[in-house]
Amino acid sequence: MKSAKLYETHVYCKNLEKSIEFYQSLDLDLAYVLNERRVAFFWLGEPGTKEQMLGVWEVPEEQFFKKHFAFALSLEQLHELPQYLESKGIELRPAFGLDASEPVVHAWMPAACYYFEDPDGNSLEYLAVLEGAPQPELGVIHLSKWKQLQNA
């Protein structure tokens, strides 16, 4: 089933209403809320396509643990991300020992990324796959360094 795509992923939260507000601030479409089960489902991607879903489950403190997932977008969109998140009061966070002044590049992929957290500390990432051959020996570097090395 090599052609299979990831359809949905799930994260835990401590306060469902607070999480619904947060994920809606990222422009995710609220699809359905099951209050009796304390879960909300969001559609990702283009409206009406129903190709990807995020489930957010409220759990008691003792059952909570943090997770990580990434949203894919274009490099152009990634460049707009700092202002977009700032307008929503969301701070980018440093990653892999590098500050968030610009995207970091995972050279083994290669992909440029920004990281931030939801209200419960789940690690979220916006990622743009880059052109060019993987260079895993470079580790994780800032995008400006990646571009400099590509043009060398």
Side-chain angles (χ1 to χ4, degrees):
M1 296 294 158
K2 195 164 184 78
S3 63
K5 296 178 182 179
L6 181 64
Y7 183 76
E8 66 182 289
T9 193
H10 296 258
V11 295
Y12 290 154
C13 70
K14 299 174 194 171
N15 180 303
L16 186 60
E17 289 71 26
K18 188 175 181 179
S19 290
I20 289 172
E21 182 180 323
F22 175 80
Y23 286 102
Q24 284 183 310
S25 80
L26 295 178
D27 298 323
L28 275 63
D29 292 327
L30 182 61
Y32 194 60
V33 178
L34 288 159
N35 277 315
E36 65 278 4
R37 291 173 56 196
R38 302 303 291 158
V39 60
F41 296 97
F42 298 87
W43 291 119
L44 286 76
E46 293 300 316
T49 60
K50 298 182 181 178
E51 292 179 342
Q52 300 172 0
M53 181 181 286
L54 171 66
V56 181
W57 296 77
E58 182 179 285
V59 296
E61 179 76 37
E62 64 274 5
Q63 293 177 15
F64 177 80
F65 60 90
K66 297 177 187 180
K67 291 190 176 185
H68 169 79
F69 65 94
F71 299 103
L73 36 77
S74 70
L75 186 57
E76 293 77 24
Q77 291 170 309
L78 190 70
H79 285 304
E80 298 169 6
L81 190 68
Q83 296 83 6
Y84 171 80
L85 292 178
E86 183 180 344
S87 74
K88 297 170 180 305
I90 301 170
E91 290 185 30
L92 293 170
R93 67 171 176 81
F96 303 93
L98 299 172
D99 64 49
S101 63
E102 62 177 297
V104 298
V105 172
H106 295 280
W108 69 269
M109 294 177 74
C113 313
Y114 277 119
Y115 291 86
F116 62 106
E117 295 178 345
D118 75 2
D120 292 295
N122 288 302
S123 173
L124 280 59
E125 172 184 8
Y126 277 101
L127 174 146
V129 175
L130 300 171
E131 297 293 323
Q135 296 181 349
E137 68 278 5
L138 297 176
V140 181
I141 58 177
H142 276 125
L143 181 58
S144 59
K145 180 72 172 174
W146 172 262
K147 287 180 177 180
Q148 179 186 19
L149 292 170
Q150 298 307 300
N151 293 327

